[in-house]
C-alpha cells in the first residue's frame, strides 16, 4: 500500500571529527523515502530550489515517486551541523528554510487516496496542509523537533489531535510535555491525540508506547559510525514501510506494531554507517536479514 511523505528535501553540511561534507543530499523526506523503499510505493511531497542537482533528484526518483517535489527559483533548504567527538551530540550551525519558507504543498490527485501518510519533520503548517488534502488514510504518523515545539506549539498541538503515531526523541518528548519521566511524557502525548508514541533514544534504541503495551527495542551495536544524520527519519521509513507492507492500520492491535519497531530499528542501523544516504544504499536483502537476526538475538536471553 502506498505512503505519502512530506518533509524537507535538503542539502546538509555536516562536520564530524574526521570529515566535513558540504551540501550533501539530506532532509527528512529524503532519508525517509530511501529507507522505506521496496516496501510499497513511496510518494514524496516537498520543494527544492534551482540549486538542487539533477543527480540528487534522479537518486530520489530511483526509490520514490517524486512528482510531488516542485523545483522553484531560489535556494534549497539547507541544514548544517557539527558533531562532537562522541558522534552523538551535535550543534546545529544553520537552518536556512530557503524555498520552504513560502511553499504551498500540492498533491497529485491520484495520491490523495494513499493509505499511509508520514508527516516528516517540517513546519507544522505544511504538515497540516498535506493532511488536509488527503482523503482517509489508514494511518498518519508525524515527526517533529525542538524548533517547532518551541516556535509553533499551537499549530503542532492542533495537528497532533489528528495523528495516530508520534515519533520524537527523548528531549523532544520532555520539551513537548514538561515531564521528565518518559512514561509520563508518553501518557501526556497520548492525551494530546496520538494513540501511539515512539520515543527514539539514539544509540540506546527506541520505546514504543501503545494502547495497552510498552516495547523497548535496543539499537544495534555498530562497529563504526560515520554520520548519524537522518537516522531518526530512516527509523520512520523502516517503521512506516513495514506497516504499509503488512497493511497495519490505526485499528490494529499493538502487537501489529511490534514487527514494525524491529524493521525501523534495523533500517536505521544502516544510516550512520555512511554520509547522507550512502549507508542505506548499501543495504541488500542478505545484509538486512543478518541484522534482523542480530537484533533478535540481542533481545532474547
Ligand atoms: P535527524 O538526524 O534524524 O534529526 O535528521 C536530520 C535531517 O533533518 C537533516 O537531513 C536535515 O536536513 C533535516 N532537518 C534539520 N532541521 C530541520 C528542520 N528545522 N526542518 C526540517 N528538516 C530539518
Amino acid at each position: 500500500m502506498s505512503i505519502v511523505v512530506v518533509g524537507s528535501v535538503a542539502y546538509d553540511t555536516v562536520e564530524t571529527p574526521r570529515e566535513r561534507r558540504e551540501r550533501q543530499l539530506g532532509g527528512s523526506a529524503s532519508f525517509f523515502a530511501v529507507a522505506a523503499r521496496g516496501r510499497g510505493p513511496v510518494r514524496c511531497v516537498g520543494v527544492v530550489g534551482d540549486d538542487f542537482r539533477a543527480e540528487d533528484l534522479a537518486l530520489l526518483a530511483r526509490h520514490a515517486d517524486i512528482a510531488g517535489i516542485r523545483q522553484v527559483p531560489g535556494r534549497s533548504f539547507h541544514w548544517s551541523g557539527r558533531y562532537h567527538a562522541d558522534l552523538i551530540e551535535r550543534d546545529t550551525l544553520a537552518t536556512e528554510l530557503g524555498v520552504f519558507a513560502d511553499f504551498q504543498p500540492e498533491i497529485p490527485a491520484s495520491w490523495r487516496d494513499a493509505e499511509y501518510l508520514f508527516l516528516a519533520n517540517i513546519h507544522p503548517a505544511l504538515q497540516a496542509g498535506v493532511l488536509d488534502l488527503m482523503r482517509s488514510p489508514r494511518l498518519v504518523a508525524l515527526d517533529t523537533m525542538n524548533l517547532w515545539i518551541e516556535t509553533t506549539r499551537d499549530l503542532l498541538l492542533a495537528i497532533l489531535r489528528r495523528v495516530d503515531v508520534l515519533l520524537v526523541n527523548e528531549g523532544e518528548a520532555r520539551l513537548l510535555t514538561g515531564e521528565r519521566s518518559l512514561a509520563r511524557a508518553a501518557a501526556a502525548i497520548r492525551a494530546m491525540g496520538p494513540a501511539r508514541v515512539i520515543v527514539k533514544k539514539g544509540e540506546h534504541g527506541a520505546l514504543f508506547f501503545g494502547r495497552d503495551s510498552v516495547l523497548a527495542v535496543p539499537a544495534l551495536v555498530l562497529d563504526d559510525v560515520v554520520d548519524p544524520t537522518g537516522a531518526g527519519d530512516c527509523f520512520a521509513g523502516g517503521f512506516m514501510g513495514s506497516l504499509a507492507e503488512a497493511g497495519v492500520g490505526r485499528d490494529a492491535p499493538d502487537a501489529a506494531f511490534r514487527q514494525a519497531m524491529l524493521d525501523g530499528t534495523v533500517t536505521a542501523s544502516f544510516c550512520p554507517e555512511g554520509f547522507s544516504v550512502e549507508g542505506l544504499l548499501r543495504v541488500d536483502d542478505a545484509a538486512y536479514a543478518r541484522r534482523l537476526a542480530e537484533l533478535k538475538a540481542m533481545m532474547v536471553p
Side-chain angles (χ1 to χ4, degrees), residues 7-14 24-31 77-80 83 90 92 94-97 100 120-123 143-148 169 172 200 227-235 271 276:
S8 52
V9 180
Y11 279 141
D12 292 345
T13 297
V14 175
Q24 55 179 6
L25 175 63
S28 49
S30 311
F31 282 110
F77 183 102
H78 178 232
W79 175 82
S80 140
Y83 284 90
R90 74 181 180 205
T92 290
T95 301
E96 294 149 11
L97 291 181
F100 261 105
N121 176 28
I122 194 69
H123 196 296
D143 189 4
T144 190
M145 68 181 297
N146 289 3
L147 176 68
W148 311 124
N169 66 32
E172 292 156 356
K200 297 172 285 180
D227 170 17
T229 308
D233 308 306
C234 294
F235 181 98
C271 175
S276 181

Side-chain angles (χ1 to χ4, degrees), residues 6-249:
V6 60
S8 52
V9 180
Y11 279 141
D12 292 345
T13 297
V14 175
E15 227 178 282
T16 70
R18 272 188 282 182
E19 209 175 327
R20 176 187 160 87
R21 291 276 187 110
E22 287 267 350
R23 302 184 82 80
Q24 55 179 6
L25 175 63
S28 49
S30 311
F31 282 110
F32 178 93
V34 179
R37 77 192 200 278
R39 295 184 178 273
V42 181
R43 295 163 171 167
C44 275
V45 178
V47 66
V48 293
D50 47 18
D51 57 345
F52 210 75
R53 297 176 290 257
E55 74 218 49
D56 291 323
L57 281 176
L59 189 156
L60 290 176
R62 280 199 290 282
H63 306 291
D65 190 337
I66 61 164
I69 299 183
R70 289 178 51 210
Q71 187 158 28
V72 300
R75 303 280 284 170
S76 299
F77 183 102
H78 178 232
W79 175 82
S80 140
R82 181 185 297 138
Y83 284 90
H84 298 194
D86 59 8
L87 271 165
I88 296 168
E89 291 288 318
R90 74 181 180 205
D91 301 319
T92 290
L93 304 178
T95 301
E96 294 149 11
L97 291 181
V99 292
F100 261 105
D102 14 64
F103 173 56
Q104 299 288 333
E106 282 164 35
I107 303 195
S110 62
W111 291 12
R112 296 183 185 191
D113 288 324
E115 293 87 358
Y116 294 83
L117 176 62
F118 184 62
L119 304 166
N121 176 28
I122 194 69
H123 196 296
L126 293 179
Q127 296 177 317
V130 170
L131 181 53
D132 288 344
L133 294 173
M134 299 298 291
R135 265 188 210 108
S136 54
R138 292 166 62 108
L139 189 97
V140 180
L142 180 143
D143 189 4
T144 190
M145 68 181 297
N146 289 3
L147 176 68
W148 311 124
I149 297 171
E150 280 166 345
T151 62
T152 57
R153 187 179 172 84
D154 289 346
L155 284 176
L156 186 60
L157 291 179
I159 194 172
L160 279 180
R161 286 196 281 278
R162 306 163 65 197
V163 160
D164 304 302
V165 182
L166 176 70
L167 295 99
V168 276
N169 66 32
E170 285 175 88
E172 292 156 356
R174 293 190 173 113
L175 184 68
L176 181 58
T177 62
E179 296 284 0
R180 240 216 76 74
S181 141
L182 291 179
R184 287 212 180 125
I189 292 169
R190 294 186 65 231
M192 293 171 183
R196 284 151 173 136
V197 180
I198 294 170
V199 180
K200 297 172 285 180
K201 301 177 71 187
E203 57 163 0
H204 301 299
L207 295 171
F208 168 79
F209 294 90
R211 290 216 164 98
D212 44 37
S213 71
V214 177
L215 175 69
V217 180
L220 285 137
V221 184
L222 302 175
D223 286 340
D224 194 25
V225 171
V226 175
D227 170 17
T229 308
D233 308 306
C234 294
F235 181 98
F239 176 80
M240 287 293 281
S242 178
L243 295 178
E245 199 171 40
V248 174

